[in-house]
Amino acid sequence: MSFKSLGLSDSLLHAINKKGYDKPSPIQEKAIPFILDRKDVLASAQTGTGKTAGFVLPILQILSETRQPKRRPIRSLILTPTRELAAQIYANVKEYSEFLPINSMVIFGGVNQNPQIRELRNGVDVLVATPGRLLDLHGQGKLFLNQVEVLVLDEADRMLDMGFLRDIKRILPLLPPKRQNLLFSATFSKEIKMLAGTFMFEPELVEATPENTAVEKIIQKVYRVDKGRKPALVIKLVKEGDWRQVLIFTRTKHGANRLSQKLEKSGITSAAIHSNKSQGARTKALAGFKKGEIRVLVATDIAARGLDIPLLPHVINFELPNVPEDYVHRIGRTGRAGASGEAISLVGADEADLVRGIEKLLKEKLPSEEIEGFEPKDEPQPAKEAPRRNQNNRNRSGSRPKSGNSGGGNQRSGGGSKGGGNPGNKPGSGGGNRKFKPRRRR
Ligand code: AMP
């Protein structure tokens, strides 16, 4: 299958060629024909699968094929949960539309609204937005959504997790009833299906898992260590391993700041990235990290969502997440694009339950070891019910993870990366398409 055989125009093929993509990814192969056919699409895919091009390319084709209204109203609205993801999608829209007469822009909160208002006045075909700022500017009469032809809800599950359901419900009535709806989500939870049922019309269901090549290259390790000694262990690992690009996850914003300060004090360049940081600070930190000026980026889960950092060699879980699925998402930050990566979890005595929850989800045991000089002394905690969010023991992509333990030494991830590979599948394969027809309720 080639991009050309998907029926994309020469201008888009030119842009794709410039990006260096050889062939469509599974999600692109499945979603693009439905979208070009003007169908509603409910897609299970997450960052790393090529989902963005999966919806942006056909949208650009649709918009450029139909007559451009003179005043350039917003004809496609792409809603995302975070500013970083919005900025990233916008960058993709710009690249893919380079050879098309399409205007696009991005709006999000945390920055001055005036430049956004000025840009909106020039006319925008494709608007990428976070819900809060969108509603804000709409409320001020600075933008209109009554000519939107294609709506995208990206990372819809995360939008719900972040409490955006109310905002989404306020945005939907602002759109014309006759439109095309696309929903992308890492999971098809009951909540997502319910949401889809409220606004989508006979959506085509598309599921795809990321290529397994990258997934299999993630080496997962657990280092047992006392809570209070974790910062020292991080410093040792980064310094002695001469690690140059490390992403560290902490559970809290405060914890991210504290760790980042400790790293800086020890001579390791570092920045913290979380929702209390201004947009400017977040963008600067990410740019510095990508350029190699900042060795360690310390992030909370929400801030890290949607970050596109290619070829990330090291991910450290300073604390394990409360939700096992977030572990899968975190370790998906490494080993991207076929490069190998290492995901290390520093696990204190109080986190034994969290390890069990993750192992249950992955259906494999995480190899655990102690580092000399950092042997834990804290008393292990008695077993409790492991935290569960997903009753079916499925990973984020909805696929069942690999069972069994390859045993000893370094273990290859079977359960996830980029959100859950399906190790049972051949590389590049991704579940099938099924028809899911929720009732139309507008
Ligand atoms: P996404 O899942 O949309 O965040 O995309 C993940 C990464 O894959 C991005 O860096 C894209 O530029 C890249 N990508 C998207 N489509 C393809 C493709 N067909 N071939 C190779 N890389 C791709």
Side-chain angles (χ1 to χ4, degrees), residues 244-263:
R244 298 271 136 200
Q245 211 180 27
V246 191
L247 178 61
I248 303 186
F249 287 95
T250 59
R251 230 185 265 156
T252 64
K253 299 168 197 174
H254 194 57
N257 286 340
R258 256 195 330 235
L259 179 61
S260 180
Q261 282 158 9
K262 281 186 183 154
L263 291 170

Side-chain angles (χ1 to χ4, degrees), residues 196-360:
T198 63
F199 75 99
M200 302 188 85
F201 178 65
E202 297 188 348
E204 298 291 345
L205 191 70
V206 174
E207 287 179 88
T209 53
E211 303 254 348
N212 282 351
T213 45
V215 176
E216 283 163 8
K217 284 190 175 138
I218 297 174
I219 296 161
Q220 299 176 77
K221 288 179 190 166
V222 164
Y223 291 157
R224 289 191 305 278
V225 58
D226 288 340
K227 207 170 167 175
R229 309 238 29 228
K230 287 183 179 182
L233 181 52
V234 170
I235 291 166
K236 175 189 161 77
L237 292 170
V238 173
K239 281 196 170 165
E240 290 185 6
D242 196 25
W243 295 352
R244 298 271 136 200
Q245 211 180 27
V246 191
L247 178 61
I248 303 186
F249 287 95
T250 59
R251 230 185 265 156
T252 64
K253 299 168 197 174
H254 194 57
N257 286 340
R258 256 195 330 235
L259 179 61
S260 180
Q261 282 158 9
K262 281 186 183 154
L263 291 170
E264 282 278 330
K265 264 200 190 141
S266 79
I268 298 169
T269 50
S270 163
I273 186 163
H274 51 69
S275 56
N276 278 4
K277 294 268 174 184
S278 72
Q279 185 54 35
R282 287 155 77 167
T283 309
K284 197 167 147 226
L286 185 59
F289 185 61
K290 282 190 177 178
K291 274 193 257 162
E293 293 162 1
I294 290 173
R295 252 167 109 174
V296 178
L297 195 63
V298 190
T300 55
D301 285 291
I302 285 176
R305 180 85 180 180
L307 294 185
D308 185 24
I309 305 160
L311 309 174
L312 195 57
H314 303 284
V315 167
I316 299 179
N317 293 309
F318 188 75
E319 287 126 354
L320 286 175
N322 284 326
V323 179
E325 283 87 348
D326 280 348
Y327 172 86
V328 174
H329 202 81
R330 286 179 177 190
I331 68 164
R333 297 287 157 199
T334 184
R336 298 184 72 123
S340 66
E342 193 173 44
I344 288 175
S345 302
L346 307 186
V347 174
D350 57 334
E351 293 172 286
D353 275 347
L354 298 173
V355 176
R356 277 189 282 273
I358 291 163
E359 290 178 339
K360 207 169 158 195

Side-chain angles (χ1 to χ4, degrees), residues 3 19 21 23-25 28 46-52 308 336:
F3 281 107
K19 284 287 285 176
Y21 304 162
K23 59 179 177 52
S25 68
Q28 292 163 0
Q46 51 182 283
T47 309
T49 55
K51 69 180 166 69
T52 314
D308 185 24
R336 298 184 72 123

Side-chain angles (χ1 to χ4, degrees), residues 55-307:
F55 60 80
V56 171
L57 292 170
I59 288 175
L60 292 173
Q61 171 120 343
I62 288 169
L63 298 188
S64 57
E65 269 174 357
T66 46
R67 200 172 52 83
Q68 300 270 8
K70 259 216 182 93
R71 290 178 57 101
R72 298 197 95 110
I74 297 163
R75 296 167 67 206
S76 181
L77 172 65
I78 301 170
L79 280 179
T80 77
T82 65
R83 308 157 189 187
E84 280 79 13
L85 185 61
Q88 202 175 294
I89 293 176
Y90 169 63
N92 282 180
V93 173
K94 287 294 275 184
E95 286 171 330
Y96 301 140
S97 63
E98 187 181 345
F99 307 105
L100 289 170
I102 296 270
N103 282 358
S104 55
M105 79 169 280
V106 61
I107 59 172
F108 44 69
V111 293
N112 187 339
Q113 65 171 21
N114 295 334
Q116 297 177 353
I117 294 170
R118 275 197 296 277
E119 201 178 335
L120 279 165
R121 281 197 206 113
N122 298 336
V124 171
D125 304 292
V126 179
L127 180 67
V128 186
T130 52
R133 179 57 63 94
L134 181 82
L135 281 166
D136 202 357
L137 292 182
H138 184 274
Q140 297 176 50
K142 303 297 183 195
L143 60 87
F144 299 93
L145 299 171
N146 56 355
Q147 304 219 33
V148 168
E149 296 167 36
V150 191
L151 168 72
V152 183
L153 291 193
D154 192 28
E155 301 209 352
D157 54 339
R158 189 52 63 143
M159 280 207 235
L160 297 189
D161 285 353
M162 289 171 68
F164 283 133
L165 183 62
R166 254 184 62 199
D167 283 350
I168 294 170
K169 285 188 170 162
R170 285 173 62 203
I171 292 167
L172 290 173
L174 309 175
L175 308 170
K178 190 171 169 322
R179 59 170 194 267
Q180 188 175 11
N181 301 292
L182 314 174
L183 186 152
F184 284 73
S185 177
T187 53
F188 281 157
S189 62
K190 203 172 80 206
E191 290 79 14
I192 290 292
K193 286 186 177 167
M194 267 168 68
L195 172 66
T198 63
F199 75 99
M200 302 188 85
F201 178 65
E202 297 188 348
E204 298 291 345
L205 191 70
V206 174
E207 287 179 88
T209 53
E211 303 254 348
N212 282 351
T213 45
V215 176
E216 283 163 8
K217 284 190 175 138
I218 297 174
I219 296 161
Q220 299 176 77
K221 288 179 190 166
V222 164
Y223 291 157
R224 289 191 305 278
V225 58
D226 288 340
K227 207 170 167 175
R229 309 238 29 228
K230 287 183 179 182
L233 181 52
V234 170
I235 291 166
K236 175 189 161 77
L237 292 170
V238 173
K239 281 196 170 165
E240 290 185 6
D242 196 25
W243 295 352
R244 298 271 136 200
Q245 211 180 27
V246 191
L247 178 61
I248 303 186
F249 287 95
T250 59
R251 230 185 265 156
T252 64
K253 299 168 197 174
H254 194 57
N257 286 340
R258 256 195 330 235
L259 179 61
S260 180
Q261 282 158 9
K262 281 186 183 154
L263 291 170
E264 282 278 330
K265 264 200 190 141
S266 79
I268 298 169
T269 50
S270 163
I273 186 163
H274 51 69
S275 56
N276 278 4
K277 294 268 174 184
S278 72
Q279 185 54 35
R282 287 155 77 167
T283 309
K284 197 167 147 226
L286 185 59
F289 185 61
K290 282 190 177 178
K291 274 193 257 162
E293 293 162 1
I294 290 173
R295 252 167 109 174
V296 178
L297 195 63
V298 190
T300 55
D301 285 291
I302 285 176
R305 180 85 180 180
L307 294 185

